[in-house]
Structure formats: C-alpha cells, structure tokens
Amino acid sequence: MLILFYCMSLMLAIASTDDGKKWNDQAQKELTDALNLKPNIKIAKNVILFLGDGMGVSTVSAARLYKAQKDNIAEGMSTLAFEHFPHVALSKTYNLDAQTPDSAGTGTAFLCGVKANAGTLGVNGNVQRKNCSLQKGNEVMSILHWSKAEGKSVGVVTTSRITHATPAAAYAHSAERDWENDANLNDVEGNCTDIAKQLIMDNPDIEVILGGGRRNFFTIPVGQRNDSLNLTQIWETDKSTKGKGSYVTTKSQLDAIDVKNTDYLLGLFAESHMEYDLDRELDNNSLDQPSLPEMTKTAIDILKKNDKGFFLLVEGARIDHGHHASKARKALHDTIAFDDAINIAMKELGTEETLLVVTADHSHVFSMAGYPETGNDILGLVHPTPDDEPKDNLPYTSLIYGNGPGGALVNGSDGHPGRQNLTGVDTTDPEYVFQAAVHMSSETHSAEDVGIFAIGPMAHLFHGVHDQNYIAHVMAYASCVGANKKHCDRPKDDPIGSGVSHTLAHSLILVCILNHINKYL
Ligand SMILES: *[C@@H]1O[C@H](CO)[C@@H](O)[C@H](O)[C@H]1NC(C)=O
Ligand SMILES: *[C@@H]1O[C@H](CO)[C@@H](O)[C@H](O)[C@H]1NC(C)=O
Ligand SMILES: *[C@@H]1O[C@H](CO)[C@@H](O)[C@H](O)[C@H]1NC(C)=O
Ligand SMILES: *[C@@H]1O[C@H](CO)[C@@H](O)[C@H](O)[C@H]1NC(C)=O
Ligand SMILES: *[C@@H]1O[C@H](CO)[C@@H](O)[C@H](O)[C@H]1NC(C)=O
Ligand SMILES: *[C@@H]1O[C@H](CO)[C@@H](O)[C@H](O)[C@H]1NC(C)=O
Ligand SMILES: *[C@@H]1O[C@H](CO)[C@@H](O)[C@H](O)[C@H]1NC(C)=O
Ligand SMILES: [Zn+2]
C-alpha cells in the first residue's frame, strides 16, 4: 500500500516538469503589483470588520487546503479571498490580565479601541471580571456608537448567539460576558443590565441584527429570562414608530425580506448558536437557517441604502467552537463560509470606498504537523518516512491540537496507556475529534499573534505588529468617526487634508518604496 503510494507520487513528479519558470513569472508579476501599489487615501464610506473567531494563521493555511480538496482544484491554485488583500499586519491579542485572551476582552479591543480584562466587554481595564459595581463610569463606546453619531447605519451579523462575547462587545457594557439574560444576574450584587436587554433597550437603533440566541429574549419556559419581558415584541413596537422593521426567525423569512422597504431587521435564527455550516449543509438545512454569506448579503443590502455609509461587524463565530470541540473539519468548513461572506461583500461593494478588515480575536492550539506530501488529505493521516516515524509507531493526523478532548489515552497493546491506534479510523468524519497532547474537556485558545488583512481606504495603515486595539482606531480614522477627525474636513482634491497635494503624496510614497527597495540592493 505504502509502496504503491510512493510510486504514484514519483509518477506525478515525473509527469509535471517544473523548471522554475512559472515561479519566476508569478513572483515578477507580484513584484510589479507591489511596486505599483498606491495607498487608497480616500475617506471610507463603509467599513466592514470580518472577524473569524479563533481564526489563527494555522487555520487560514489549513482552510486553504481544505478548500482545494472541497472544490477539487490543485492545492497551489487554492486561495482564500482575503489572501489577495494588499495590506497585512499582525495583531497582539493578549488581555490586560491574561497572556492567552478570551473573546470578550479582545472584542473590546478591536471594537472599542482599548484593551480590557478577560471576560469583560465594553468596559475599560478598571473593571474586574464579574464585578458589577465597578461597571458604572468605566463604560467604553464602540465603533458602532461612533458610526451612529455620524449618521451612519450599523449592523451586527454572527453565527453565535447575538449576545455572545464578540457581538456583545459592539453594543453592550458588561463586567461578565455570561450575563446574557437577567436570570444570569440572579446572584450578582449591584444593578447591572443583562446583555440582551441592553441590545434592545439601550441600543435600539442598530439597523441590522442577525444571529442566534433567541432564548435570551423571552421568558421561561419559552426562553431563559426571568423578568417577563418579551424583548422582540419591545423591539417591534419601538420600530413601528421609527420606520419599517421586521423580525424573522428562518431563512425563508429572511429570503422574503424586501430590502428596499426595510429600515430595521432583527433575525434570531436559533435558540442558542446557529448550526455549524457543515451541519447546515449535511442536514439539507432542515432547520431553515441562513448561511453567513446569505446573512451578510441581506445586511449589506439594507445598510448600503444610507448615503452616509455604514459600519458592519460580520463574525464567523463557529470556527472557534469547531476548534474547542477539536472537530477540525467543522472549524475549516466554517472558515470557508466566512471567506464566502467576504467574497459577497467585495462583489456587492467593491473596495474603492469600503474598507474591509479581516482578522481574528485570537488563535487556537491547532497545528499542521509532520511532513504530509502534496495532495495528502488535509483531514487524513500523515505517511511518515522512517526519519519521522512516531515513537509509538501509531498513525497520526497532520491536524493536531496542543490540548483538548482528543487527548484521552487508551490502553495500548503493551498494557500502557497511549494514543488511540488510528488505523482504519475515518478521521474525515465531521464528528471526528482530532488528537491532542493534553487531555481537556475543551481545547483552548492560543496566545500567538493573529493576522490582519485589509483592503480599501486607509488599509495601508495596517502595516506591522500592532496591539489589537489599534484596529478600532484605524477603522474609525478611515471612516471619519470617533475622536480623531482632523483630516476629515478636507477638499476633495486634497485628500491628505494638510495642504499636501495628491501628486506630492504619491511621490512621497514612491520615495518611501524606493528607499525600501534600496535597503535590499
Ligand atoms: C468589586 O470591586 C470593589 C473595588 O475593588 C471591591 O470593593 C468589591 O468587593 C468588589 N466586588 C466583588 C463582588 O468582587
Ligand atoms: C427567578 O427570579 C426569582 C425571584 O427573584 C428567583 O427566586 C428565581 O430563582 C429565579 N429563577 C431563575 C430560573 O432564574
Ligand atoms: C438600576 O438601573 C436601572 C437602569 O440603569 C435604573 O432604571 C434603576 O432605577 C436602577 N435601580 C436601582 C435600584 O438602582
Ligand atoms: C412575544 O411577542 C410577539 C409579538 O407580540 C408574540 O408573537 C410572541 O408570541 C411573544 N412571545 C412570547 C414568548 O411571549
Ligand atoms: C440530504 O440530501 C442528500 C441528497 O439528497 C441525502 O442523501 C441525505 O440523506 C440528506 N440528509 C438528510 C439528513 O436528510
Ligand atoms: C494498529 O492497528 C493495526 C490494525 O489493527 C495493526 O495492524 C497495527 O499493528 C496497530 N499498531 C500498533 C502499534 O499496535
Ligand atoms: C485499561 O486497563 C486497565 C487495567 O486493565 C483498566 O482498569 C482500564 O479500565 C482500562 N482503560 C481503558 C480506557 O480501557
Ligand atoms: Zn473560544
């Protein structure tokens, strides 16, 4: 079997000659593109932040290979939409009190512009987790609030509960991410408002809200609230005085929305999180839930009616959950759905007047290990050479976790506990739990940096290694919202805003690029 495999690889290698020409040509074309790259220094009319929850760089790399396999194209030809963005940077994700961050503290950073403690959202570093009495006076506003203040429309789209950490950091202030409904606050000292109620009562003018989490909007036994409120009813009543609002709970209802005639849209498509995209596909969408790209398209169609533009947060939330469960296939499939949503946005809006930022809140302890050969199944086993044969002589997958539920040991043939023998195990099964070094009920986040990929106005300001809160500041600067707007009242032919002409700006950039090249000659 193994011999047959090596023979096939050899045949492939002989069949496809590669004298390097292709690589020289491709690199030269990329070099020309880089030399001709001119920063887009316009003011961004729209900003979309695409947040892949837990989408570390290893997830991006593996998703690219997963996509190649799924679409049956050559590995080298497979790329994700955002890989083509011209500006890339790294984001340092730590929380104030944690080397490895959570999604609440990080959401506060990239949406509100300040680092925060783990578990807290929409509040500054004075607030300790779970301490309700410290909240007052320490609230911080997000780019949603800043954008509303300039007359823009705003939206939040996610596949998690809409009250979950990342989306909640966009609109709520809470010393604890788990205070999603009032019953979660039963034993909490002080007077704090739950996250769902904040969304409906304190931030009533978010134009588009799409995700899961219905249970936090209704009272027991229909939902989990304990205060007799029917929050969607309150939302509908409020909207009826302001314009045309629609509350929907299924894909069919979402498809039937007349965007031209809709000012406000609230969609809650699941009691808790929405399904993994892979499960949605496999069960033929029997639950009638929209996909992330579908939600993104509807959101954009409603938001773009505002002449002043919009800010939209789109979260691929379940990439993170797939990793926590170590069901890598689900994490990768959700990464592709997330990428499809980015493609939809580019198709709908172009990149001239819309800043698109793609990033992650944090990474995971997820790696691609061993030396799998080209064309190896990304979900499959590595075929080791004698030099990298594992000491236990057991097969292993290239996708592997540092810790997680897949760390359980079994009784080996020699009587000692060891890894499960994966011979004959279908590791491509959607439910397969990939192996881990340390056994934990839930795989953990990782502290390593994550990528920031950007295109559109001011995208070049993402250019190095940044603390994560820098992201909010660039998005605000680019779209002229928030505190730093000195550059915004400027004539159209003076886009820099300081009397520097367009041509001069371009020559400065050119000089800068030439200097840069010089360093390497
Ligand atoms: C909240 O913080 C204050 C000030 O540090 C402290 O006095 C109080 O005990 C804390 N409350 C809780 C519930 O931790
Ligand atoms: C509902 O509220 C009552 C009164 O505050 C409290 O006793 C009860 O434990 C709460 N139930 C739940 C499920 O939160
Ligand atoms: C609790 O806060 C709400 C809203 O912030 C306010 O209306 C209410 O009066 C407060 N209650 C107490 C007991 O302070
Ligand atoms: C909430 O209010 C809406 C609109 O009035 C109603 O259709 C729905 O049944 C209510 N839900 C619950 C759980 O009471
Ligand atoms: C979904 O559709 C496919 C193809 O029609 C079918 O083979 C499969 O059994 C269906 N799955 C479910 C869960 O209904
Ligand atoms: C793993 O299982 C296969 C198939 O049962 C067996 O041939 C092989 O010897 C096992 N490997 C070890 C190290 O036990
Ligand atoms: C391993 O073997 C021991 C002793 O034979 C037994 O008590 C234990 O339950 C076994 N564990 C597993 C995971 O099979
Ligand atoms: Zn997580």
Side-chain angles (χ1 to χ4, degrees):
M1 179 66 191
L2 214 56
I3 290 168
L4 180 68
F5 178 80
Y6 281 134
C7 283
M8 278 168 58
S9 315
L10 202 63
M11 274 155 56
L12 278 176
I14 291 165
S16 56
T17 59
D18 189 336
D19 60 3
K21 180 174 187 312
K22 181 182 107 185
W23 300 107
N24 286 324
D25 291 350
Q26 183 181 311
Q28 284 298 320
K29 187 189 171 301
E30 268 182 56
L31 185 60
T32 306
D33 289 349
L35 288 165
N36 290 331
L37 183 62
K38 288 193 184 64
N40 176 343
I41 49 179
K42 289 187 194 136
I43 292 168
K45 180 179 178 189
N46 316 309
V47 177
I48 306 183
L49 176 58
F50 284 97
L51 197 286
D53 200 306
M55 190 187 70
V57 173
S58 56
T59 300
V60 174
S61 308
R64 184 190 299 144
L65 297 177
Y66 179 78
K67 185 181 177 195
Q69 242 169 262
K70 192 168 151 290
D71 298 350
N72 201 19
I73 53 178
E75 272 177 17
M77 305 296 288
S78 174
T79 56
L80 303 178
F82 55 91
E83 287 180 49
H84 300 286
F85 289 9
H87 302 286
V88 178
L90 288 178
S91 168
K92 296 190 278 186
T93 65
Y94 64 91
N95 295 144
L96 288 176
D97 59 348
Q99 290 179 341
T100 301
D102 94 311
S103 294
T106 53
T108 307
F110 57 75
L111 289 164
C112 307
V114 299
K115 289 254 182 190
N117 290 316
T120 69
L121 52 90
V123 291
N124 65 31
N126 288 333
V127 178
Q128 302 304 313
R129 184 167 191 171
K130 292 190 195 297
N131 193 321
C132 163
S133 54
L134 288 175
Q135 255 179 239
K136 206 169 162 55
N138 286 313
E139 297 92 346
V140 289
M141 298 301 148
S142 82
I143 189 167
L144 245 74
H145 302 103
W146 310 335
S147 300
K148 280 300 300 188
E150 301 295 335
K152 290 173 181 284
S153 292
V154 297
V156 181
V157 172
T158 181
T159 46
S160 70
R161 295 191 296 273
I162 195 75
T163 47
H164 208 235
T166 305
Y171 60 81
H173 314 283
S174 187
E176 171 54 54
R177 56 181 284 172
D178 291 341
W179 295 342
E180 295 184 53
N181 64 56
D182 68 304
N184 303 139
L185 278 148
N186 265 346
D187 305 321
V188 175
E189 240 174 85
N191 184 22
C192 287
T193 307
D194 66 272
I195 292 168
K197 190 172 169 189
Q198 287 190 50
L199 174 61
I200 301 301
M201 314 284 263
D202 299 347
N203 297 284
D205 284 323
I206 299 174
E207 278 80 2
V208 178
I209 304 168
L210 299 175
R214 247 183 346 245
R215 70 188 192 195
N216 293 317
F217 292 75
F218 302 108
T219 292
I220 300 163
V222 175
Q224 296 186 347
R225 300 193 67 82
N226 197 16
D227 58 4
S228 309
L229 291 182
N230 177 336
L231 287 178
T232 64
Q233 181 177 37
I234 293 172
W235 184 90
E236 287 182 291
T237 305
D238 177 60
K239 291 305 159 274
S240 66
T241 67
K242 293 177 174 161
K244 174 79 176 59
S246 291
Y247 168 56
V248 296
T249 59
T250 63
K251 169 181 154 62
S252 314
Q253 290 172 348
L254 184 72
D255 289 346
I257 288 290
D258 173 13
V259 293
K260 281 191 225 74
N261 195 21
T262 302
D263 305 310
Y264 297 93
L265 178 62
L266 172 63
L268 299 175
F269 302 104
E271 289 301 323
S272 180
H273 301 307
M274 293 174 68
E275 284 196 83
Y276 286 110
D277 198 66
L278 180 60
D279 293 341
R280 196 184 55 77
E281 278 184 23
L282 290 177
D283 71 11
N284 303 324
N285 202 18
S286 58
L287 288 182
D288 201 12
Q289 292 184 2
S291 67
L292 187 62
E294 286 163 350
M295 292 195 288
T296 303
K297 180 171 189 317
T298 306
I300 290 172
D301 287 342
I302 291 172
L303 296 173
K304 76 179 181 190
K305 294 191 296 177
N306 187 334
D307 292 338
K308 291 185 170 157
F310 64 83
F311 173 83
L312 172 63
L313 168 67
V314 177
E315 187 198 19
R318 307 222 64 202
I319 299 167
D320 178 66
H321 300 160
H323 281 320
H324 279 304
S326 298
K327 296 184 178 177
R329 183 169 169 195
K330 296 194 182 187
L332 298 182
H333 205 90
D334 260 64
T335 307
I336 303 302
F338 177 68
D339 191 52
D340 289 343
I342 296 164
N343 262 320
I344 292 259
M346 287 200 288
K347 210 175 289 169
E348 288 261 305
L349 298 161
T351 53
E352 267 309 297
E353 54 178 21
T354 301
L355 171 64
L356 300 178
V357 180
V358 178
T359 190
D361 44 0
H362 55 74
S363 185
H364 274 268
V365 291
F366 171 69
S367 66
M368 266 183 78
Y371 300 101
E373 67 286 345
T374 303
N376 197 48
D377 189 335
I378 184 68
L379 303 167
L381 301 173
V382 175
H383 305 103
T385 62
D387 289 340
D388 48 86
E389 192 80 51
K391 296 285 187 199
D392 58 10
N393 280 317
L394 291 168
Y396 67 101
T397 51
S398 54
L399 300 185
I400 200 156
Y401 291 91
N403 59 42
L409 302 181
V410 298
N411 282 341
S413 48
D414 61 356
H416 290 102
R419 292 193 302 125
Q420 183 195 354
N421 185 344
L422 293 179
T423 308
V425 173
D426 180 9
T427 58
T428 70
D429 187 284
E431 304 302 330
Y432 177 68
V433 175
F434 283 75
Q435 290 184 335
V438 178
H439 189 200
M440 290 187 176
S441 58
S442 177
E443 178 263 9
T444 74
H445 298 172
S446 149
E448 68 191 10
D449 298 349
V450 297
I452 308 170
F453 308 80
I455 192 168
M458 300 291 176
H460 60 288
L461 300 180
F462 294 108
H463 69 112
V465 183
H466 306 283
D467 264 307
Q468 190 166 44
N469 61 307
Y470 177 70
I471 295 170
H473 290 260
V474 172
M475 295 190 301
Y477 182 87
S479 58
C480 281
V481 305
N484 185 353
K485 292 194 294 257
K486 288 188 291 290
H487 58 296
C488 299
D489 287 324
R490 65 197 194 190
K492 278 216 159 59
D493 57 353
D494 177 18
I496 290 270
S498 55
V500 183
S501 75
H502 206 124
T503 339
L504 181 54
H506 280 163
S507 356
L508 284 175
I509 289 153
L510 195 64
V511 167
C512 175
I513 291 173
L514 287 175
N515 271 340
H516 205 72
I517 293 171
N518 236 353
K519 274 201 304 205
Y520 295 95
L521 289 179

